[in-house]
Amino acid sequence: MKLSETLLLIEDDVSLRTLLQEELELDGYQVLVAGTTAEGASMALSQAPDLVISDLRLPDGDGLDVLRKLQAEGRMVPFIIITAFGTVDQAVEALQAGADDFLTKPLSTEHLRLKVKRLLAHAALSHELARYRSVSGQPANLGLVGESVAMDRLRQEIRQVARSHAAVLVNGESGTGKELVARAIHSESSRREAPFIPVNCAGIPHELMESEFFGHAAGAFTGARQARKGLFAEASGGTLLLDEIGEMPLPLQAKLLRVLQEGRVKPVGAEREEAVDVRVIAATHVDLLEAVERGDFREDLYYRLETLALTVPPLRQRGDDVELLAMHFLRHSADRHGRGFMRLGEATLQTLVDYPFPGNVRELASAMERAVTFCEGDVVQPEHLPARIRKRQMGPLDKARDADQQDSIASWPTLEALQQDYVRQVMSAVGGNKRRAAQVLGINRRTLYRWLDNSGAKQ
């Protein structure tokens, strides 16, 4: 995610304020500082920061006074309270007043940085969703949640192919959101006011496909008492999505190719062809070129479709999009279940980030649906996630213990393997920052460089 947001830090302890300012600026944030309630409130109202971090006890009041002044002005800004005098009652008071989090001193800068990142990501998503609801037409992100480089590139390609009327091939693993991409192409095109009709080729019996796609004349076959329009005629003027195109039988592929070339269909049992104006988008999770080599897919149809081809990236290649999507699905699931505000605990977020999601976005959406169902409170913990996702969090020592239970001592890792794995985890947690990694590991940077060289994990 882009770290260009402005933070306001209100803290009267100069040394702590300087330390926190330096740490947050290293993460790329612009940090404004204040030492009193009055100064902090003035800066919060005039500078419009993206997030506020405030000590609870200040020389002329407390941090909640700043929060209340922002609320009185209708400013909804993520707000973190920190204090050396933390009690349960104070935490409850701060959260009831509208603070997003409550941290006690001695403060872990790493913990604070993670809180800041999570709250800013959640605020960005909330603003994005609010913008969708307040404007008409297609949102700037084309309805595709995500800020990764891969998704930005995909949105650019969608806008480019939307200008054409030619057929499009959308490639991608199962669960990546190929239908959403097809809908975005349709919505960005000049056909947006006409029908968008999705059909799953794998869900139609082969013997009925021709009739379903091209229609039939009355009496064309037993049971055809009256003429019926096919999907191409129903989608005329608009877009027809042929999902799982690789499941289409070869004889029908030949007829589809003719439709793409001539713009005409012949209903089953009819004597004459009919003109149709349809933009075809085909989607598949299989490698069609390999299918061509096996003889399962027509080569001429493949090259007709492949001219305008897009690939939807798998979730494991989308970085911080996992967090954005998780919060997006959590919010929608909570709304459907009539729940109030819910959020993801830090351990839960880390669990999700570490999981490769072979089922992609669809699997993440299902995980959030389950989490809302089983979570009794408002914070989703790892135990609310599916077992397969939780088990992925097992480290080498956990795996060794599991192996021990199966009398498989030979699979225990060496001490060197444990060290290398831990170093990689620390480097990942601090975003590759070697200074912070050395501090966490309790070693000097020269030792860290040697360990990284030995493990092949140098960044």
Side-chain angles (χ1 to χ4, degrees), residues 87-146:
T87 67
V88 173
D89 290 341
Q90 286 177 323
V92 170
E93 180 188 1
L95 296 174
Q96 287 179 339
D100 293 275
D101 222 320
F102 183 96
L103 304 178
T104 57
K105 300 175 184 177
L107 192 63
S108 163
T109 56
E110 196 67 29
H111 192 198
L112 175 63
R113 290 172 56 242
L114 286 172
K115 290 287 186 185
V116 168
K117 181 181 178 182
R118 307 302 191 208
L119 287 174
L120 286 172
H122 189 274
L125 180 61
S126 297
H127 293 157
E128 198 172 13
L129 292 173
R131 187 167 66 250
Y132 298 163
R133 293 167 179 157
S134 64
V135 300
S136 59
Q138 187 72 3
N141 73 353
L142 308 185
L144 304 173
V145 176

Side-chain angles (χ1 to χ4, degrees), residues 171 284-294 297 302:
N171 297 291
T284 182
H285 72 282
V286 301
D287 188 326
L288 289 185
L289 195 53
E290 289 185 1
V292 169
E293 294 171 355
R294 293 194 306 267
F297 201 82
Y302 169 75

Side-chain angles (χ1 to χ4, degrees), residues 13-30:
D13 183 328
V14 177
S15 59
L16 176 60
R17 186 173 69 216
T18 301
L19 170 65
L20 296 180
Q21 181 180 8
E22 290 177 352
E23 288 291 322
L24 293 168
E25 286 179 341
L26 280 172
D27 281 343
Y29 302 110
Q30 179 183 352

